[in-house]
Amino acid sequence: MHDLVNDLAMFIAGEFCFKLEIDESCVITRKTRHLSYVRTKYDSSKKFKVSYKAKGLRTFLGLDLPQSQWWLNRISMMMIDDLLLTSKCLRVLSFSSYRNMRELPNSVGNLKHLRYLNLSYTSIKWLPNSLCTLYNLQTLLLSNCHSLIKLPTEMWRLVNLRHMDLVYTKLEEMPLHMGKLKNLVKLTTFVVGKHSGSSIKELGELHHLSGALSILNLQNVHHARDARDVNLKDKQYLSELVFQCGFDNEDSEKERHVLEQLCPHSKLESLTIEDYGGTKFPNWLEDCSFSNMVSIRLANCKYCSSLPSLGHLPVLKKLYIQGFHFVLRVDREFYGDGSSTIKPFKSLEVLSFKDMPEWQEWFLFEGEHEDGVGVFSTLKELCIIECPKLSGGLPSQLPSLIKLEIEKCQQLVASVPRAPTLNTLQLSDCDKVVLKELPPKLDDLKIRGGRIFLQSFVEIMTCLTVPRSGVLTTLKSLEIEGASQITTGHCYPSLESLVIRDDSDSLWSFPLDAYPKLKSLRVFKSKTLESLFASEESYRDVSSLSYLMILRSPNFVSFFSGGICAPNLTRMTIYKCNKLKLLPENMRTILPSLEVLGVIGCPELESFPKEGLPLNLETLTVWDCDRLFSRRMEWGLQDLHSLTYISISSKCKEVESFPEEAWLPPTLTVIDVRRFPNLKSLKGFQHLTSLGYLYIGDCDNLQYLPEEGFPTSLSSLILEGCPLLKQRCEREKGEEWPKIAHIPNIVIDDELIT
């Protein structure tokens, strides 16, 4: 039914509405009114053929696919120029998510009917003054324009503006007279400038603000009375506030007085105060009237010697405390007024302490209240990070806890709380934290550093092999730093993911048969690891393994000794294993499902197996393996009928022309070639009739493209760091241009030139 309705809508829309899917193109004609399209990595002028008659276009809107990599998108600036000069009736215009867009043409001022303009996620540094003549503009979206430092000086002329998104920009100050934009409903960011024209009191004129507002650079406020004129108490539709102060400790009293005047409405739900230079928080922060407050974040308030009293807030769910460098203890006042009738933090679900170098004591407020439940009974996540002097204990029991993370708390002497629902446990550099037993529902365990803790790690791992209820079947993910406790004497039947970061000298070989359900194995920086092995009688137990990565293990020399077969292994990456000379023999037999193979920085690797690589291989990456590359004609790539992607990098100085004729299989759709120091010419591409994407990078001496040209299937050619070739490929002028003029998408040094 959905397809039928869609077909009916498309039929009725006819020539007036277009929706372009991936790899489609269209001609924008006199009848076209609304155009939407799916953004791709390269949206060239050939995708949008703008007719000089296309004067009636109302909508030009790009859409993103789910999980699209927006930072890779580029658009033709020639097409933008044509569009703005021709389509003067536009109401909706979006160029968002194009990283190569660094400026908006002045001709945007011709779009007098424009209501909606989206430039989010672009590289724009400033906007043209002509933008300020768009009196009908209602929505201006500039979020994540990380290079944007300035707005036009006459923004106040946009009197119909209702929505303005400036999140994650680098604005230095607001332009003059922002208070004249009285129709603003959404203003995400206000940057207080050093000049009176961008004074904070301009906000007082904006009576309809709602949603989230960040006020930045509060250190630039001249007088506390200016902050009072903002009148936040009357802005009841603001639900989230961020105050960023700028560390003006030389006048900490002024900062406190400024914050005191910025008391928000009691309906506020989320509050952040960061980079505060005062020594004490404003009185209103501890006000009981904030009955809707759900989240509080206090960050980098270095000079405050105590935490505010927050335990009385009835619906507070998230509390983040970070960067309090003068706090020595978290005491009773933190929990509230101390009344026995009110349980502090009765709704709190997330509590995080981070970067508190002088914190030593934590008053835990243990004991039950009238409801029979202790403090933090609703807490689901507890994080204590970079608190090196904290020496007290942790809450003894947290019945709702799901995640516990303790990192760089070297003096913390405590046992892990009793937490029957604990799912994720991360302990890093906590020498004195003790884990007496594994919680029954633990699924994810990460251990990094921690001398005393790791001495008892054998006992913990032994627990995994004892058939106690709730232990064997829950732990699925384990990450450890220091692998001396990986032994052949234990079996870990529930583990599916294992990460080992090992700087010790103890891990010589890894027993794969001890992990019958292991799907993912990653080993980082193992100094002594030489091989993976399994006993002959249990070799079939590695049938669950699907992902294998060995990184920076200089003594690793052998993959699968003992006749191991990994029939479901699909991805394998080997990185900087300096002594590795051979890959597993009989790879086609023992690794029949391998689809992705990456071999990087293995200088001693001499050859691939004689019988060839697995026939299901789809992706092959070989970087900086010069001995292996010198024998490339023995790789047998023509037999790999599933191979679609290859990436090659080599420092071989004798390679001046690449690739050799018929070396690459015709099934390839993507070729990536980079860092060939003496490469001068490309050749041998015509038989690659499926090739769609070709990347050539950092080939300083490359000058010539194939004489016979590229296959007609090639849709994207990317040239980066090839200085001698750049000029020869200049549009319409370069000697190599005729060879590539037919290619829809050509990018040279990050510029889309088609």
Side-chain angles (χ1 to χ4, degrees):
M1 180 61 71
H2 174 77
D3 291 337
L4 290 174
V5 172
N6 181 70
D7 292 344
L8 177 62
M10 294 295 290
F11 175 77
I12 294 174
E15 295 181 60
F16 293 96
C17 300
F18 279 108
K19 180 182 178 182
L20 298 184
E21 302 297 339
I22 295 178
D23 297 329
E24 288 185 342
S25 62
C26 74
V27 177
I28 303 175
T29 68
R30 178 177 57 83
K31 293 184 178 181
T32 307
R33 293 294 181 269
H34 306 285
L35 172 66
S36 66
Y37 64 96
V38 176
R39 271 186 287 262
T40 59
K41 289 175 65 175
Y42 311 109
D43 289 331
S44 67
S45 57
K46 295 180 181 179
K47 180 172 183 176
F48 312 102
K49 297 179 177 65
V50 181
S51 168
Y52 69 94
K53 296 181 180 180
K55 298 179 180 180
L57 190 66
R58 304 294 200 271
T59 302
F60 185 88
L61 183 63
L63 307 173
D64 286 321
L65 289 173
Q67 300 179 338
S68 63
Q69 297 175 312
W70 61 265
W71 57 90
L72 299 178
N73 295 343
R74 298 175 179 88
I75 192 170
S76 167
M77 298 306 296
M78 290 188 302
M79 190 283 301
I80 290 178
D81 289 336
D82 291 344
L83 181 69
L84 298 186
L85 290 171
T86 304
S87 304
K88 297 181 181 180
C89 294
L90 279 167
R91 268 72 166 172
V92 174
L93 178 60
S94 174
F95 295 131
S96 67
S97 302
Y98 290 115
R99 76 171 195 178
N100 70 311
M101 189 170 186
R102 297 179 177 86
E103 61 181 19
L104 184 65
N106 279 320
S107 54
V108 71
N110 296 328
L111 308 181
K112 302 301 183 183
H113 303 284
L114 196 65
R115 266 75 166 171
Y116 174 98
L117 177 60
N118 188 353
L119 302 173
S120 300
Y121 294 94
T122 62
S123 300
I124 280 180
K125 296 182 178 180
W126 56 78
L127 298 171
N129 289 328
S130 60
L131 179 76
C132 301
T133 64
L134 304 180
Y135 304 118
N136 291 303
L137 192 65
Q138 297 179 2
T139 299
L140 177 59
L141 305 182
L142 300 167
S143 68
N144 290 275
C145 292
H146 301 295
S147 300
L148 184 63
I149 59 175
K150 186 179 180 181
L151 293 174
T153 56
E154 297 186 341
M155 288 289 293
W156 57 270
R157 293 183 179 274
L158 301 177
V159 293
N160 287 305
L161 199 62
R162 297 175 59 83
H163 302 274
M164 190 172 181
D165 191 345
L166 302 170
V167 171
Y168 298 123
T169 60
K170 295 292 179 62
L171 290 179
E172 297 173 353
E173 62 180 9
M174 304 303 288
L176 304 176
H177 312 309
M178 288 293 292
K180 293 185 178 182
L181 303 179
K182 298 184 184 297
N183 287 313
L184 272 178
V185 174
K186 179 180 180 180
L187 175 65
T188 61
T189 308
F190 188 95
V191 185
V192 181
K194 295 182 179 180
H195 309 292
S196 59
S198 57
S199 168
I200 191 174
K201 61 184 179 183
E202 296 278 356
L203 285 170
E205 301 297 321
L206 307 179
H207 302 293
H208 306 296
L209 292 180
S210 64
L213 170 64
S214 296
I215 306 178
L216 311 182
N217 292 353
L218 282 171
Q219 77 276 10
N220 290 333
V221 174
H222 290 265
H223 305 285
R225 63 177 178 270
D226 293 340
R228 183 179 62 231
D229 292 341
V230 175
N231 206 13
L232 284 179
K233 268 196 171 183
D234 288 345
K235 292 178 170 48
Q236 60 178 319
Y237 301 111
L238 284 174
S239 57
E240 301 179 28
L241 275 174
V242 175
F243 297 134
Q244 189 268 333
C245 302
F247 283 138
D248 190 1
N249 184 245
E250 295 181 0
D251 200 350
S252 62
E253 276 300 302
K254 189 193 82 169
E255 283 204 11
R256 183 174 181 274
H257 290 321
V258 168
L259 271 188
E260 197 71 66
Q261 300 302 323
L262 292 175
C263 178
H265 193 276
S266 60
K267 293 182 180 179
L268 193 70
E269 298 176 5
S270 176
L271 173 67
T272 294
I273 299 176
E274 58 186 23
D275 301 338
Y276 177 51
T279 58
K280 185 179 179 182
F281 286 101
N283 294 327
W284 56 259
L285 184 57
E286 301 181 357
D287 199 318
C288 297
S289 63
F290 292 109
S291 57
N292 291 342
M293 191 74 77
V294 174
S295 174
I296 293 179
R297 179 175 177 266
L298 306 175
N300 302 325
C301 305
K302 292 185 177 181
Y303 305 106
C304 290
S305 58
S306 62
L307 300 182
S309 176
L310 301 171
H312 59 276
L313 298 174
V315 297
L316 185 66
K317 292 185 177 182
K318 298 179 180 180
L319 178 57
Y320 303 93
I321 307 293
Q322 177 180 344
F324 282 69
H325 289 187
F326 282 78
V327 167
L328 300 179
R329 55 187 58 85
V330 175
D331 50 25
R332 182 183 295 270
E333 285 70 24
F334 174 61
Y335 295 87
D337 59 9
S339 171
S340 59
T341 60
I342 301 176
K343 185 176 73 172
F345 296 114
K346 63 180 182 180
S347 301
L348 196 66
E349 296 180 356
V350 178
L351 177 59
S352 175
F353 296 101
K354 186 176 181 180
D355 185 23
M356 299 177 63
E358 300 299 323
W359 182 26
Q360 300 174 20
E361 301 177 18
W362 184 7
F363 177 74
L364 292 173
F365 211 93
E366 297 279 24
E368 296 183 351
H369 287 258
E370 292 182 352
D371 59 2
V373 182
V375 178
F376 301 129
S377 60
T378 59
L379 196 66
K380 296 181 179 180
E381 181 175 332
L382 174 61
C383 299
I384 306 176
I385 300 171
E386 296 177 9
C387 303
K389 293 186 179 180
L390 179 62
S391 58
L394 299 171
S396 58
Q397 58 180 0
L398 297 171
S400 302
L401 196 67
I402 295 174
K403 178 181 178 180
L404 174 61
E405 182 177 0
I406 305 175
E407 179 180 337
K408 295 182 180 178
C409 299
Q410 291 86 348
Q411 299 301 316
L412 182 59
V413 179
S415 297
V416 172
R418 292 191 297 276
T421 60
L422 190 65
N423 175 272
T424 300
L425 176 59
Q426 301 178 17
L427 302 174
S428 177
D429 297 320
C430 332
D431 293 354
K432 301 177 182 179
V433 174
V434 178
L435 177 57
K436 294 181 178 179
E437 61 181 15
L438 289 176
K441 294 187 177 181
L442 191 65
D443 180 84
D444 186 351
L445 175 62
K446 292 183 174 64
I447 305 166
R448 302 185 65 178
R451 184 179 63 256
I452 294 179
F453 180 84
L454 285 178
Q455 286 178 357
S456 61
F457 189 55
V458 170
E459 299 175 11
I460 297 167
M461 300 310 290
T462 302
C463 284
L464 290 173
T465 67
V466 179
R468 297 176 180 175
S469 176
V471 173
L472 288 176
T473 59
T474 60
L475 190 63
K476 295 181 179 179
S477 177
L478 174 64
E479 180 175 337
I480 62 173
E481 182 174 303
S484 59
Q485 314 307 331
I486 299 294
T487 66
T488 58
H490 301 302
C491 180
Y492 315 113
S494 62
L495 277 181
E496 295 181 0
S497 175
L498 177 60
V499 179
I500 302 173
R501 304 176 188 273
D502 179 35
D503 287 325
S504 68
D505 296 327
S506 55
L507 183 64
W508 297 91
S509 59
F510 185 84
L512 281 169
D513 52 338
Y515 303 83
K517 292 187 178 180
L518 194 65
K519 295 180 180 179
S520 173
L521 172 62
R522 289 174 287 170
V523 180
F524 297 87
K525 296 182 180 180
S526 178
K527 294 180 180 179
T528 55
L529 179 67
E530 295 182 356
S531 67
L532 309 176
F533 77 92
S535 57
E536 292 188 14
E537 62 273 13
S538 61
Y539 74 93
R540 294 188 183 277
D541 283 344
V542 300
S543 59
S544 295
L545 191 65
S546 62
Y547 180 64
L548 174 63
M549 177 186 288
I550 310 290
L551 269 68
R552 296 183 182 274
S553 299
N555 288 298
F556 184 74
V557 294
S558 175
F559 276 95
F560 301 115
S561 58
I564 300 176
C565 180
N568 294 307
L569 186 69
T570 58
R571 300 174 64 90
M572 184 165 72
T573 300
I574 312 300
Y575 179 78
K576 290 195 174 182
C577 295
N578 295 339
K579 292 186 178 180
L580 181 66
K581 293 186 177 182
L582 298 172
L583 293 180
E585 290 296 329
N586 303 314
M587 285 183 71
R588 288 187 177 178
T589 302
I590 67 174
L591 305 177
S593 301
L594 192 66
E595 297 175 354
V596 179
L597 174 62
V599 186
I600 303 169
C602 300
E604 298 297 317
L605 186 61
E606 297 177 352
S607 65
F608 286 139
K610 294 180 181 179
E611 71 281 1
L613 294 167
L615 294 176
N616 285 317
L617 196 66
E618 299 175 1
T619 297
L620 176 62
T621 300
V622 180
W623 285 12
D624 300 332
C625 303
D626 291 348
R627 289 193 178 186
L628 177 63
F629 182 74
S630 67
R631 300 176 62 176
R632 57 190 175 279
M633 301 308 294
E634 302 174 11
W635 292 5
L637 298 183
Q638 289 291 338
D639 295 336
L640 305 180
H641 302 304
S642 298
L643 192 67
T644 59
Y645 175 102
I646 189 167
S647 179
I648 302 292
S649 174
S650 175
K651 298 175 183 176
C652 288
K653 295 182 179 180
E654 66 271 15
V655 177
E656 296 185 357
S657 179
F658 183 82
E660 286 78 9
E661 186 174 353
W663 177 57
L664 298 174
T667 54
L668 286 173
T669 60
V670 177
I671 298 177
D672 181 324
V673 177
R674 57 182 74 198
R675 291 194 293 274
F676 280 77
N678 291 330
L679 181 63
K680 294 180 180 179
S681 63
L682 299 178
K683 65 176 184 179
F685 284 85
Q686 272 297 327
H687 73 288
L688 302 174
T689 54
S690 299
L691 186 63
Y693 180 99
L694 174 60
Y695 175 93
I696 309 293
D698 299 318
C699 296
D700 294 341
N701 291 297
L702 182 61
Q703 300 182 53
Y704 305 106
L705 298 178
E707 285 297 329
E708 68 278 12
F710 292 104
T712 56
S713 60
L714 188 64
S715 60
S716 298
L717 172 64
I718 318 301
L719 302 173
E720 292 188 351
C722 304
L724 300 182
L725 187 59
K726 182 176 180 179
Q727 186 174 359
R728 296 175 61 85
C729 290
E730 186 177 356
R731 183 183 177 91
E732 309 292 352
K733 299 178 182 179
E735 297 175 47
E736 303 292 322
W737 176 254
K739 300 177 183 178
I740 60 176
H742 68 284
I743 301 175
N745 307 308
I746 302 174
V747 177
I748 299 180
D749 289 338
D750 208 33
E751 290 295 333
L752 183 62
I753 67 170
T754 53

